[in-house]
Amino acid sequence: MQKILLSRLMRMSWEIQRRRHTNRSKALLSAWVIFQNDDIAVGYLRAKHSTRHSKPAPIKNFSLFNF
């Protein structure tokens, strides 16, 4: 299980590094923060992308990572 978590973390950090044109340590730090706070990030993204008139889906159905 630990190997899977680390590989996902590395893939996310590589994507952040490539898209934001930042150095490796900053990208890895950003990925780690997202990885550790995925419940907060999901709530924020759900609120940001839902419309004012739509009925939001229950938060328990959302996750950034499917384990």
Side-chain angles (χ1 to χ4, degrees):
M1 183 73 165
Q2 187 71 9
K3 238 181 185 179
I4 294 170
L5 297 177
L6 290 176
S7 65
R8 287 182 181 179
L9 179 67
M10 292 305 290
R11 265 188 267 133
M12 186 187 302
S13 66
W14 287 328
E15 186 175 340
I16 291 170
Q17 182 180 6
R18 189 172 52 246
R19 287 186 182 189
R20 294 193 178 231
H21 305 289
T22 186
N23 63 17
R24 188 77 192 119
S25 63
K26 286 183 181 179
L28 191 56
L29 178 65
S30 298
W32 181 250
V33 168
I34 292 169
F35 194 74
Q36 291 297 312
N37 298 314
D38 64 339
D39 56 339
I40 297 169
V42 167
Y44 171 76
L45 292 172
R46 179 179 159 262
K48 180 180 177 184
H49 293 290
S50 65
T51 61
R52 188 176 355 173
H53 302 291
S54 68
K55 184 177 178 183
I59 195 73
K60 65 180 181 179
N61 294 338
F62 295 104
S63 75
L64 283 177
F65 308 104
N66 296 327
F67 296 114

